[in-house]
Amino acid sequence: MTHSPNPSSDRPDYLQRLNPEQRAAIETTDGPLLVLAGAGTGKTRVLTTRFAHILLSGRARPHQILAVTFTNKAAREMRERIGAILGTPVEGLWLGTFHALCARMLRRHAEYVGLSSGFTILDTDDQLRLLKQVIEPLRIDAKRWPSQGILGVIQRWKDRGLTPERVTPAEDTDFANGQCRAAYAAYQARLIQLNACDFGDLMLHVTEILRTRPDVLAQYHRLFRYILVDEYQDTNTIQYLWLRLLAQREGQSANICCVGDDDQSIYSWRGAEVENILRFERDFPGAVIVRLERNYRSTAQILGAASGLIAHNDGRLGKTLRPGREDSSGEKVRVVAVWDSDDEARMVGEEIARLRAGGHSLAEMAILVRAGFQTRAFEERLIALGVPYRVVGGLRFYERAEIRDALAYMRVLSQPADDLAFERIINVPRRGIGAAALQKFHAAARAGNMPLTQAVQDLLAGGEIKGRAREPMAALMDCLQRGRDALPREGHVVVVETLLEEAGYIDMWKADPSPEAPGRVDNLKELVRALADFESLEGFLEHVALVMENEENAGDARVSLMTLHGAKGLEFDTVFLPGWEEGVFPSQRTLDEGGLKGLEEERRLAYVGITRARHRAIISHAASRRIYGNWQSAIPSRFIEELPDEHVATSGAASQARTRTFGHAPEFSQAFPVVARRARMTEALARGTAPDAASGARSAAFGAGERVFHQKFGYGTVTSVDGSRLEIAFEKAGSKRVLDQFIEKIS
DNA sequence: TCGTTAGCTTTTTTT
DNA sequence: AAGCTAACGA
């Protein structure tokens, strides 16, 4: 490949209009390179341009570059942008998430760890069920030591690259009386038996293979000439080990380029080690470090506020974000004090409505919360206002019950030995198989050292399944077998469709009277449709296991509602940052568990939040909040005080709160219209305890099938009437039970 | 075997 | 406050 000639400078097009630091990050192709890229400094652009530059300058061919990201979204974006620079989509890239790349490697070398290449990747649900089964003989008190906790311990070991043999007794003291190692070993053994692995195994197995098989390692050393890593600050130990194995070879300095920002490290709870980025120079001697500090995203006010906040952290590599444009002073970051979460939602809602009326697109607004439960109040408010919104990272398509069931059917179809999947569907729809019967099947399977499906098959043949269960079980086994036989002839789409139909699964939902059922049937149709995008059933299952995304119609403009974690890497014109109260943000739990380190991570999270905003950031804090069902008065987050005054404008009673020391919530709350609130409450109480006669008379007016409107939930249809209580299927809010007095009729 | 109920936890964050 | 599990009864 040659550089395209360019008269204005002797650089090719794609290197134009970069600042000097960016250019250095791209043109320093050989040797270890650490790019410290602050928020909004063109990190993705550097990564993609660098990738393209390596290709276009003839240093490597597409498949000789390993490019690792953390999220599927980042991988997809990178692939698209590289294609755009090159002017043509590129095939055969080793570009993907750590887990996707490892899955690909593991399929090639599965036999080295006792798997075969068709292994199943388990989801969290399966993991937990499997662990529960496996620890039963250990007699661990499930009350004191929940299996989720044990799974957490195992996962953290996996994050650190520890196989069961590598875990020392000294590391297994604090949980479940030192039985976690035993649980871990049993769990791993069972996974191998099932020809399955969990998410952590993808990394663990591949790293183990690279560690113990020099031939395999050498093969990848020959293959990968360049390695690019995104979000390096979020790598955990096992990912670090994996990278180091692939990057370090004898007598050569590694062509590894890691891009990251220590100020945006927010995943330590998942095993990420900020130290990985802090010690890069020691790991890769002769490393060049490039700092990207010119921010082209946010106004100077926003940058000033964010920088001032993050300056409170110690142990940073040190970067200062500078505005990339001179004209970008903008409005100050607003800090708004509100009474409670409803009040907060109302304020945000009004602000959104005002901006929308002023011509701003909803797609450019986001509400970023610390934890999932905070979204509820905003959802309700936005529904009431009729503002379209999308909850990012909420319940995802592939996590819904009907989808998981259908996937389990597919898994059994593709892998009869997938006991976990078989267990899931054996009694769905009802086939008269209860715990007792399942126990029997398990015993038979264990005795014969065979998968459940085989055991059931044998028991059926031997006439040992009797009574009501016999007929439906025989039918199910028959369906599955015929499906497998038909697979080569009819193709996976038809076979799956037929299987779900014949097994009675579709009918189960069609017969379900609940208001969600029709939606579930639609989801199943959508699932079958998605199958057609893949060449094989196995390909589809792999996609689902690794990507787990709902590629829903992202068409129309909506407000985004998501957690701060979910917002990393995104940007919006306007960002709302609610719930900045002590205990909520910073989260009490993180403080309790992580101490000062935890606090600093929370602060980085705040920094991430503010730097998502291009033009406007609106922080709010409530004086009281309901936690675990009861009201507690709240203190403004310490982060609010840490924002530099010159970049902040306060409203509500926040100005007083900021100057006052902590611990004076009562005084603080006096600034609020308490009286008005009392009045509201009294009014509500009065309505709630209104004589039954009144509501009874009203409810008679409602009948099933009637179309109604609710202040909070919007439009819906009555599905059942129980005195004054109505069950209503709302169009946007789903099915709710509501008192009739809050319902309006629609003619 | 299934449905109901009482009591209990939950509210981080995700590949 | 609500949703889930474990235990109990039909």
Side-chain angles (χ1 to χ4, degrees):
Chain A
M1 294 259 169
T2 54
H3 293 194
S4 50
N6 189 317
S8 63
S9 87
D10 46 6
R11 292 177 197 286
D13 287 356
Y14 62 88
L15 290 180
Q16 298 291 331
R17 318 229 271 130
L18 293 163
N19 66 37
E21 299 81 40
Q22 290 175 329
R23 203 172 294 135
I26 290 162
E27 294 187 314
T28 311
T29 50
D30 290 23
L33 172 70
L34 178 63
V35 180
L36 292 173
T41 54
K43 179 195 70 163
T44 309
R45 180 156 184 223
V46 163
L47 263 171
T48 51
T49 310
R50 182 182 167 89
F51 194 110
H53 178 61
I54 290 170
L55 291 182
L56 291 172
S57 62
R59 287 177 167 83
R61 319 222 7 235
H63 63 274
Q64 293 173 320
I65 305 175
L66 177 69
V68 200
T69 63
F70 264 84
T71 63
N72 294 297
K73 199 171 62 192
R76 201 183 323 122
E77 189 181 347
M78 210 164 143
R79 175 170 279 119
E80 279 163 13
R81 288 175 66 163
I82 289 167
I85 297 174
L86 300 179
T88 162
V90 227
E91 303 285 318
L93 298 183
W94 284 89
L95 188 163
T97 62
F98 277 100
H99 297 274
L101 292 165
C102 278
R104 186 165 159 194
M105 290 181 173
L106 191 55
R107 298 242 181 249
R108 294 175 151 197
H109 316 290
E111 66 281 7
Y112 289 133
V113 287
L115 293 169
S116 76
S117 94
F119 62 80
T120 308
I121 301 167
L122 300 185
D123 61 28
T124 328
D125 229 43
D126 291 330
Q127 287 179 46
L128 208 57
R129 273 190 299 142
L130 183 64
L131 182 71
K132 275 183 188 159
Q133 290 173 16
V134 141
I135 61 176
E136 207 169 320
L138 293 176
R139 306 202 161 275
I140 295 171
D141 180 4
K143 279 253 167 66
R144 267 191 81 191
W145 313 110
S147 39
Q148 273 176 21
I150 299 174
L151 193 62
V153 172
I154 293 175
Q155 243 147 20
R156 257 168 281 139
W157 280 334
K158 288 188 176 179
D159 284 342
R160 290 168 53 205
L162 299 173
T163 54
E165 311 84 64
R166 284 209 174 85
V167 178
T168 61
E171 292 190 271
D172 185 20
T173 48
D174 37 347
F175 207 85
N177 306 323
Q179 288 195 283
C180 287
R181 276 168 81 216
Y184 184 17
Y187 174 74
Q188 289 305 96
R190 187 83 180 104
L191 280 171
I192 298 286
Q193 260 179 17
L194 290 170
N195 193 31
C197 65
D198 66 18
F199 250 76
D201 282 339
L202 292 172
M203 295 290 326
L204 190 68
H205 284 323
V206 171
T207 306
E208 203 55 25
I209 293 168
L210 296 178
R211 276 208 260 229
T212 54
R213 309 291 313 199
D215 52 321
V216 176
L217 183 60
Q219 181 187 326
Y220 286 110
H221 279 168
R222 278 194 301 278
L223 181 62
F224 299 135
R225 299 204 182 171
Y226 292 89
I227 299 178
L228 298 180
V229 187
D230 191 12
E231 308 280 15
Y232 189 62
Q233 76 284 350
D234 287 333
T235 49
N236 60 31
T237 304
I238 185 84
Q239 289 161 339
Y240 164 80
L241 290 172
W242 182 81
L243 279 173
R244 212 177 57 176
L245 278 162
L246 290 170
Q248 287 183 341
R249 39 188 132 174
E250 279 172 55
Q252 275 184 50
S253 87
N255 294 330
I256 183 170
C257 168
C258 294
V259 182
D261 180 358
D262 52 315
D263 290 334
Q264 291 186 65
S265 161
I266 54 175
Y267 282 109
S268 74
W269 51 272
R270 207 169 73 184
E273 304 270 350
V274 207
E275 286 72 29
N276 288 347
I277 195 166
L278 302 178
R279 69 174 182 210
F280 186 86
E281 283 178 284
R282 265 180 290 147
D283 289 326
F284 298 99
V288 175
I289 297 186
V290 174
R291 285 184 162 74
L292 304 182
E293 297 176 302
R294 286 194 225 186
N295 176 297
Y296 299 97
R297 176 190 296 159
S298 310
T299 64
Q301 297 283 9
I302 289 166
L303 290 178
S307 299
L309 178 69
I310 199 66
H312 286 81
N313 272 6
D314 286 332
R316 302 169 58 218
L317 285 173
K319 262 179 293 81
T320 317
L321 285 183
R322 285 190 300 270
R325 297 179 305 237
E326 296 301 321
D327 62 330
S328 55
S329 58
E331 54 186 90
K332 293 187 176 187
V333 171
R334 279 160 56 193
V335 173
V336 184
V338 294
W339 173 251
D340 60 18
S341 57
D342 289 339
D343 208 18
E344 189 171 53
R346 209 170 299 126
M347 182 278 288
V348 170
E350 273 167 23
E351 206 64 42
I352 289 173
R354 187 174 316 148
L355 287 164
R356 187 189 196 183
H360 294 90
S361 167
L362 295 178
E364 284 304 337
M365 303 177 204
I367 304 170
L368 309 182
V369 296
R370 174 70 244 271
F373 74 92
Q374 292 173 265
T375 59
R376 203 193 187 110
F378 296 103
E379 281 192 73
E380 290 179 352
R381 193 66 205 154
L382 292 174
I383 288 169
L385 290 170
V387 174
Y389 68 93
R390 131 180 50 232
V391 182
V392 181
L395 46 133
R396 291 179 285 187
F397 186 70
Y398 290 112
E399 283 169 4
R400 295 169 206 213
E402 69 277 15
I403 299 301
R404 293 191 130 167
D405 288 340
L407 287 169
Y409 271 100
M410 294 184 213
R411 279 163 55 186
V412 177
L413 194 64
S414 130
Q415 262 217 95
D418 192 334
D419 284 3
L420 288 161
F422 187 59
E423 251 176 69
R424 188 179 175 106
I425 60 162
I426 195 167
N427 204 32
V428 179
R430 299 257 137 84
R431 295 188 178 89
I433 304 296
L438 192 58
Q439 207 68 41
K440 189 169 125 194
F441 299 165
H442 265 298
R446 218 169 311 133
N449 193 27
M450 55 173 77
L452 271 179
T453 40
Q454 187 61 52
V456 169
Q457 199 77 269
D458 291 359
L459 290 172
L460 269 173
E464 289 179 65
I465 301 177
K466 300 182 206 73
R468 250 177 302 178
R470 180 171 178 84
E471 200 44 46
M473 271 317 289
L476 172 67
M477 298 311 286
D478 180 52
C479 277
L480 286 166
Q481 195 47 53
R482 276 186 293 123
R484 274 176 216 127
D485 295 342
L487 213 39
R489 273 200 322 277
E490 318 221 7
H492 56 293
V493 183
V494 175
V495 168
V496 168
E497 201 172 4
T498 315
L499 174 66
L500 294 177
E501 199 65 66
E502 290 187 357
Y505 190 71
I506 305 270
D507 287 341
M508 180 184 99
W509 287 118
K510 282 189 179 159
D512 192 317
S514 72
E516 301 91 66
R520 294 187 193 259
V521 175
D522 288 345
N523 285 339
L524 289 167
K525 279 189 195 136
E526 172 61 22
L527 183 71
V528 172
R529 200 214 52 72
L531 258 177
D533 295 341
F534 292 82
E535 280 186 13
S536 69
L537 191 52
E538 286 70 29
F540 177 72
L541 290 172
E542 173 98 347
H543 169 82
V544 172
L546 290 171
V547 180
M548 274 288 215
E549 270 175 22
N550 47 342
E551 280 143 45
E552 269 170 45
N553 36 326
D556 41 349
R558 290 161 181 277
V559 174
S560 298
L561 193 42
M562 65 182 107
T563 64
L564 286 160
H565 285 88
K568 191 159 84 153
L570 305 178
E571 54 184 274
F572 303 89
D573 285 344
T574 305
V575 168
F576 293 93
L577 299 162
W580 282 42
E581 296 130 39
E582 285 293 305
V584 177
F585 189 39
S587 134
Q588 191 56 50
R589 188 160 159 187
T590 305
L591 256 37
D592 292 344
E593 288 170 10
L596 182 61
K597 282 202 158 185
L599 174 64
E600 296 208 331
E601 180 147 319
E602 294 284 299
R603 195 178 278 118
R604 291 195 290 268
L605 205 45
Y607 172 80
V608 167
I610 296 174
T611 53
R612 297 310 95 195
R614 282 193 281 256
H615 300 303
R616 262 175 305 280
I618 298 150
I619 295 166
S620 54
H621 58 95
S624 56
R625 190 168 291 273
R626 198 162 45 183
I627 294 170
Y628 297 141
N630 43 11
W631 289 96
Q632 295 187 354
S633 61
I635 301 167
S637 169
R638 69 191 77 185
F639 299 151
I640 290 176
E641 283 211 326
E642 292 172 1
L643 297 168
D645 282 334
E646 66 268 32
H647 299 298
V648 172
T650 53
S651 61
S655 47
Q656 294 159 49
R658 273 172 59 78
T659 53
R660 197 167 290 160
T661 46
F662 288 158
H664 293 276
E667 278 178 76
F668 172 57
S669 62
Q670 280 172 11
F672 288 88
V674 180
V675 181
R677 183 167 185 279
R678 290 249 169 80
R680 253 190 285 138
M681 277 180 66
T682 319
E683 186 194 339
L685 276 168
R687 266 186 303 162
T689 54
D692 274 343
S695 56
R698 288 258 226 91
S699 71
F702 289 100
E706 199 160 358
R707 226 176 117 65
V708 293
F709 179 80
H710 184 272
Q711 275 295 321
K712 260 185 183 166
F713 305 133
Y715 294 97
T717 311
V718 178
T719 49
S720 70
V721 183
D722 169 23
S724 61
R725 305 172 84 195
L726 304 176
E727 170 127 347
I728 298 173
F730 290 105
E731 285 164 15
K732 299 242 167 84
S735 178
K736 308 259 183 212
R737 240 186 291 276
V738 192
L739 289 176
D740 60 357
Q741 54 200 316
F742 299 112
I743 298 298
E744 289 168 36
K745 277 196 159 205
I746 305 186
S747 49

